Amino acid sequence: MTRVLIAGLGNMGLSHALAHHAHPDAEIVALVNRSGRVDHPDLGSYPVFDDFSTALAETAPDLAVIATYTDTHADYAIAAMEAGCHVFVEKPLAMTVAEASRVVECAQRTDRKLVVGYILRHHPSWVRLIEEARGLGGPYVFRLNLNQQSTGPEWETHKALMQTTSPIVDCGVHYVDVMCQITDAAPVRVHGIGLRLSEEIAPDMYNYGQFQVTFADGSVGWYEAGWGPMMSETAFFVKDIISPRGAVSITDGNKGASADIDGHTKVGGILVHTPAGDRTIEMPDEPVHQQLCDAEQAFMLRAIAEDIDLTRHMSDAVNSLAICLAADESIRSGQTISLEEILK
């Protein structure tokens, strides 16, 4: 039985807590929430702390699940691993590439398992999409975006997130991780542009951005993300991977509103195009958000029990974060950013 401490009970943290609550091989020893309380009826019987360090010291967990705001990820993850815990940490892994590298170094030094919350890695339809793209062979053109027309509570959540993290970084790491899994090549350089479209966010923050990335194998990628009530619902979910031998795309007939969380992972169907003809792969009965979180945490427990090698996973996590942070820097500076020195 794996003893689990869960820090952060927002949208993702709550889902991870419910996943461990239902898993037969997990025992939740405590929850951490800034308010010091838990409102969900299924979690009311667990001890609740308002301080991560205190909870870590007093409960001695085997696994720490960190779903707090990004600026705490690195320190919490390192503290947990130094205390003997394996770690699941929500994306993005850290605020900087240096911090992310420090977390990975700690995992290697302490021989602890480190899994980053890239939920698409556990979605069967996205796994199939990546397999089909890799089957075509590179170099690739990646055309990916996720814009969200958020209003009311959703816009309030986005504004809170933008106090520390831009849409390009928060959302982008998922889809850049897909690029990294497909190409196998190191990122080389990034150029981005963005714009602040609301006076409700800080003067130095932007709620719309896009970037272009070049990989060492010649692959190139484009990613776009925007949040807010002004965003368009037209072409908000584009997922194309193009190679010299054809293309793999997510069909768009399954899409609901851009702010629908389940729609962000839903594929519905995959169109594989080659000069010899097209074929469509239907993906029925796709998992919903909670089922994906269940799968993530089941993988985390399995990684511990079966001593799964996570070297490539950690490398991709650092690379995808580096690309998005370089894009953020490029948007703010107006300069093309070289990643070769950053990732040495």
Side-chain angles (χ1 to χ4, degrees), residues 4-198:
V4 185
L5 170 67
I6 296 154
L9 293 174
N11 180 54
M12 296 306 298
L14 179 61
S15 292
H16 295 320
L18 292 172
H20 285 291
H21 173 74
H23 200 289
D25 297 328
E27 175 192 358
I28 296 176
V29 295
L31 305 170
V32 181
N33 201 17
R34 288 182 298 177
S35 67
R37 70 175 190 273
V38 176
D39 298 324
H40 197 285
D42 290 348
L43 304 176
S45 63
Y46 297 116
V48 184
F49 292 79
D50 62 7
D51 180 75
F52 179 74
S53 298
T54 303
L56 187 63
E58 293 188 11
T59 62
D62 304 310
L63 167 63
V65 175
I66 299 167
T68 50
Y69 281 118
T70 306
D71 56 354
T72 63
H73 286 183
D75 288 343
Y76 282 13
I78 289 171
M81 289 186 286
E82 295 283 9
C85 296
H86 303 284
V87 167
F88 176 95
V89 58
E90 260 305 328
K91 58 79 189 168
L93 174 56
M95 293 287 287
T96 68
V97 175
E99 284 184 350
S101 298
R102 192 161 57 92
V103 175
V104 170
E105 183 279 327
C106 184
Q108 294 168 335
R109 175 170 50 81
T110 59
D111 195 26
R112 298 293 85 187
K113 299 300 180 186
L114 172 66
V115 172
V116 182
Y118 288 138
I119 202 167
L120 298 183
R121 285 178 172 248
H122 307 280
H123 195 304
S125 299
W126 283 86
V127 171
R128 180 65 180 272
L129 178 83
I130 291 166
E131 288 175 353
E132 293 290 340
R134 286 177 61 86
L136 289 175
Y140 300 95
V141 173
F142 301 106
R143 300 174 62 241
L144 309 174
N145 80 347
L146 179 60
N147 294 317
Q148 297 179 58
Q149 188 183 93
S150 55
T151 58
E154 294 158 349
W155 178 226
E156 294 303 316
T157 297
H158 281 154
K159 286 189 289 184
L161 285 168
M162 283 187 284
Q163 293 176 21
T164 58
T165 309
S166 72
I168 281 291
V169 177
D170 182 82
C171 300
V173 288
H174 280 306
Y175 302 106
V176 175
D177 182 57
V178 170
M179 296 183 193
C180 291
Q181 290 182 75
I182 291 171
T183 183
D184 283 334
V188 176
R189 61 185 176 274
V190 174
H191 180 75
I193 56 174
L195 193 63
R196 177 177 179 258
L197 294 170
S198 172

